[in-house]
């Protein structure tokens, strides 16, 4: 993280709170002296030594108002009561303006409060006071705004992390028990088939336990994982076939683990073994600025379930890749196929 400037630290860092209050008090003392000597210049012959009392009273009014403004910020601004906050700021500005008007009316007999020139001067003074009040409050608001943003950022990170973990939990396919049952049946009748099933199942589990714990995995490892899963399903079903094709150099490309697996798994699990024959074709394309994954399947009777799973995948992609992905769905009537195209920016 970049080191903040000295001014930024003085304005927002809690360690400099006392220094901020000292500078604020000094600022109001200077403003009070300037306002009394310059603003009341034409009254100095009438005021005499009372000018010092006026300076003291002005400083006192500012100091007391700062205490109320601090409470105003905590009770209104930081709690989202912006209308009440704005009304109170305007009231404080009017009070500050009335102080000078009271002094002028006390020492000048011909002072007319409601004259056009004085009203314009008062409106200008009120506007200036509002800007000064907001200038004093801005550092407090910025500090709390920064803390709120930091808190929200941490919540977003936790949310994305939980979604990633949830994403990884989807890797446990419900068909594992079916695969184990198939290997049990094949032990006596076809030992070679049973051996292949157990080896590929062990590769799936190893990928799930170790590789999926990483933030990114190689695309080649992800393809091997999907291929092993589909091969196990093909060995367990006579009404299922698949094809995986890679175009371009896919070595050295990293993606998030199990980026397409939940949808592929849902497609396979939606197959009605008694009525349907499922063809699934997956293409991995490496282009100049993006990686494309195309999943083409014959339509299933359980399209509603697939649509729900696809929405979940889209939500996870939005959390993990944000705006760096494009997901489109295309349907063909003849033959009845569904094509899901996922494009990931590098």
């Amino acid at each position: 993280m970049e080191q903040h400037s000295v001014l930024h630290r003085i304005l927002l860092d809690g360690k400099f709170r006392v220094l901020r209050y000292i500078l604020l008090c000094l600022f109001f003392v200077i403003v009070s002296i300037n306002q009394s000597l310059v603003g009341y210049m034409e009254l100095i012959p009438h005021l005499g030594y009372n000018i010092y009392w006026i300076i003291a009273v002005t400083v006192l009014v500012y100091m007391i108002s700062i205490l109320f403004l601090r409470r105003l910020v905590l009770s209104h601004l930081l709690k989202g009561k912006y209308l009440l906050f704005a009304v109170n700021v305007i009231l404080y500005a009017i009070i500050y303006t009335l102080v000078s008007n009271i002094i002028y009316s006390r020492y000048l007999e011909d002072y007319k409060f409601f004259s056009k020139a004085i009203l314009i001067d008062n409106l200008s003074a009120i506007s200036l006071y509002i800007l000064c009040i907001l200038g004093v409050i801005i550092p407090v608001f910025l500090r709390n705004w920064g803390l709120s943003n930091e808190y929200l950022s941490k919540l977003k990170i936790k949310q994305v992390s939980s979604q990633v973990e949830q994403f990884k939990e989807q890797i446990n396919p419900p068909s594992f028990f079916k695969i184990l049952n198939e290997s049990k049946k094949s032990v006596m009748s076809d030992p070679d088939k049973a051996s292949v099933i157990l080896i590929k199942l062990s590769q799936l589990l190893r990928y799930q336990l170790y590789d999926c714990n990483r933030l990114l995995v190689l695309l080649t490892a992800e393809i091997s994982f999907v291929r092993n899963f589909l091969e196990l399903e093909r060995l367990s079903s006579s009404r299922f076939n698949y094809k995986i094709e890679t175009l371009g150099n896919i070595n050295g490309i990293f993606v998030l683990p199990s980026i397409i697996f939940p949808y592929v798994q849902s497609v396979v699990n939606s197959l009605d073994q008694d009525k349907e024959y499922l063809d699934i074709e997956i293409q991995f394309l490496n282009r100049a600025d993006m990686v494309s994954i195309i999943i083409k399947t014959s339509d299933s009777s359980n399209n509603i379930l697939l649509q729900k799973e696809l929405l979940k995948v889209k939500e996870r992609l939005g959390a993990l890749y944000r705006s760096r992905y494009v997901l489109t769905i295309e349907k063909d009537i003849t033959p009845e196929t569904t094509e899901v195209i996922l494009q990931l920016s590098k």
Side-chain angles (χ1 to χ4, degrees), residues 267-284:
V267 170
V268 174
N269 291 337
S270 67
L271 175 64
D272 189 336
Q273 298 290 345
D274 297 329
K275 299 179 180 179
E276 294 180 282
Y277 186 91
L278 177 64
D279 274 319
I280 180 168
E281 182 178 345
I282 305 176
Q283 289 184 339
F284 296 87

Side-chain angles (χ1 to χ4, degrees), residues 163-179:
Q163 287 179 334
V164 171
E165 293 304 319
Q166 183 183 6
F167 189 85
K168 292 176 181 179
E169 288 174 3
Q170 298 291 330
I171 299 173
N172 296 311
S175 55
F176 272 2
F177 290 107
K178 179 183 69 176
I179 294 170

Side-chain angles (χ1 to χ4, degrees), residues 213-232:
N213 287 327
R214 301 170 185 169
L215 180 61
L216 297 173
V217 297
L218 285 169
L219 180 59
T220 51
E222 180 75 7
I223 294 173
S224 298
F225 174 69
V226 174
R227 181 181 282 112
N228 287 333
F229 172 76
L230 293 176
E231 180 63 21
L232 285 172

Side-chain angles (χ1 to χ4, degrees), residues 117-225:
I118 292 177
L119 285 175
I120 293 175
D121 287 342
N122 286 335
L123 288 175
S124 301
I126 289 172
S127 302
L128 184 61
Y129 279 124
I130 289 174
L131 292 176
C132 291
I133 292 171
L134 294 178
V136 172
I137 291 173
I138 280 174
V140 180
F141 179 74
L142 287 177
R143 181 174 182 273
N144 286 273
W145 179 71
L147 292 174
S148 299
N149 278 348
E150 184 179 354
Y151 177 72
L152 290 175
S153 297
K154 290 180 179 179
L155 285 180
K156 288 181 180 179
I157 291 172
K158 289 182 179 179
Q159 182 183 13
V160 171
S161 299
S162 63
Q163 287 179 334
V164 171
E165 293 304 319
Q166 183 183 6
F167 189 85
K168 292 176 181 179
E169 288 174 3
Q170 298 291 330
I171 299 173
N172 296 311
S175 55
F176 272 2
F177 290 107
K178 179 183 69 176
I179 294 170
L180 287 173
N181 186 49
E182 183 67 25
S183 65
K184 178 182 176 181
K185 294 179 180 178
S186 303
V187 167
M188 299 301 296
S189 60
D190 193 347
D192 293 336
K193 179 182 177 181
S195 177
V196 171
I197 291 175
L198 292 177
I199 290 174
K200 291 190 175 296
L201 185 58
S202 67
Q203 292 173 345
L204 285 180
L205 293 173
R206 184 172 65 250
Y207 182 87
Q208 175 185 346
L209 292 174
Y210 297 105
D211 289 21
C212 284
N213 287 327
R214 301 170 185 169
L215 180 61
L216 297 173
V217 297
L218 285 169
L219 180 59
T220 51
E222 180 75 7
I223 294 173
S224 298
F225 174 69

Side-chain angles (χ1 to χ4, degrees), residues 241-275:
N241 196 20
Y242 75 94
K243 178 182 178 182
I244 295 180
E245 185 179 6
T246 59
L247 299 176
N249 183 15
I250 60 172
N251 294 321
I253 297 176
F254 288 89
V255 295
L256 291 165
S258 298
I259 196 67
I260 63 167
F261 179 74
Y263 178 72
V264 173
Q265 176 185 249
S266 296
V267 170
V268 174
N269 291 337
S270 67
L271 175 64
D272 189 336
Q273 298 290 345
D274 297 329
K275 299 179 180 179

Side-chain angles (χ1 to χ4, degrees), residues 278-293:
L278 177 64
D279 274 319
I280 180 168
E281 182 178 345
I282 305 176
Q283 289 184 339
F284 296 87
L285 296 85
N286 180 20
R287 297 174 181 173
D289 56 346
M290 67 177 56
V291 175
S292 298
I293 304 174

